[in-house]
Amino acid sequence: EVRGAKIKNPIELLIGSMRQFNVESPDYVYMRQVATQIKQELFAPPNVSGWDGDKVWINTTTLPARNVFTDAVVNGKKPNGSNLTFQIDLVEYARTFPSSEDAVQLIDDISKIFLQFPLSENRREYLLNTLLDGAEVYDWSTSDPLAEDRLKLFFKALMRLSEYQLS
């Protein structure tokens, strides 16, 4: 547990993932469906104080739903297989970072945007291994034909970390 950390509310997670990937036109219909599924219907709080918070936002229903949503964002497809109204070109997104051709630095740079708290060395190593998917660190390149698939694996792993759930 990180001292002073709070769990992201579901709406913050939905909207935050769109901001992190610079999505200009999110799939609002799908986002509304997910918000309803995780019991936080947009524009319909239970009372004037809003929704109950923090640990109530993570349970055996909401955590898998959060992961399904972030996986859908990365894949560009809803769980039913239909396309989202937007597609993220992960290779082009990675190339927006000056470190795009340095796997180790790229993980650090992306983590600073997606995570509120620094990664432990074990988490960094886990994400690096996920990104490289069996390749050597010196073989990483956004020009590699496997780069898109490796970035998908990396972003799914990153967004499933408990650190991603914290704000």
Side-chain angles (χ1 to χ4, degrees):
E1 181 174 308
V2 179
R3 291 187 191 268
K6 293 193 180 263
I7 296 170
K8 284 182 189 172
N9 78 51
I11 302 304
E12 182 182 4
L13 179 100
L14 298 175
I15 295 170
S17 62
M18 298 296 102
R19 285 186 185 139
Q20 289 158 336
F21 281 117
N22 303 314
V23 174
E24 293 180 15
S25 299
D27 190 328
Y28 292 111
V29 172
Y30 180 58
M31 290 173 67
R32 181 169 278 145
Q33 289 170 346
V34 172
T36 300
Q37 179 185 6
I38 55 181
K39 308 292 187 244
Q40 196 165 25
E41 191 168 342
L42 296 175
F43 309 114
N47 58 53
V48 294
S49 299
W51 292 275
D52 290 334
D54 208 20
K55 293 180 181 168
V56 173
W57 290 329
I58 298 286
N59 60 44
T60 56
T61 300
T62 60
L63 184 59
R66 286 169 173 249
N67 292 337
V68 167
F69 175 77
T70 55
D71 285 0
V73 169
V74 170
N75 290 329
K77 292 190 179 295
K78 299 175 193 176
N80 67 9
S82 64
N83 288 335
L84 293 172
T85 59
F86 64 90
Q87 298 290 307
I88 300 169
D89 184 330
L90 294 175
V91 171
E92 286 306 313
Y93 179 76
R95 287 177 178 159
T96 65
F97 294 88
S99 60
S100 65
E101 301 305 317
D102 177 345
V104 175
Q105 188 61 49
L106 181 62
I107 288 168
D108 287 343
D109 292 346
I110 290 173
S111 296
K112 287 175 187 170
I113 292 172
F114 280 73
L115 305 176
Q116 191 72 23
F117 301 96
L119 285 171
S120 69
E121 192 55 41
N122 286 343
R123 294 288 205 195
R124 285 177 79 231
E125 191 68 26
Y126 163 71
L127 290 173
L128 179 62
N129 290 335
T130 302
L131 178 66
L132 295 175
D133 193 30
E136 295 296 328
V137 70
Y138 53 79
D139 285 331
W140 168 253
S141 171
T142 58
S143 298
D144 186 310
L146 298 175
E148 180 81 18
D149 291 337
R150 290 176 175 165
L151 284 164
K152 281 183 180 182
L153 292 173
F154 164 74
F155 278 108
K156 287 180 191 178
L158 174 72
M159 296 169 87
R160 285 176 174 246
L161 292 177
S162 55
E163 292 88 340
Y164 185 72
Q165 305 299 327
L166 301 175
S167 63

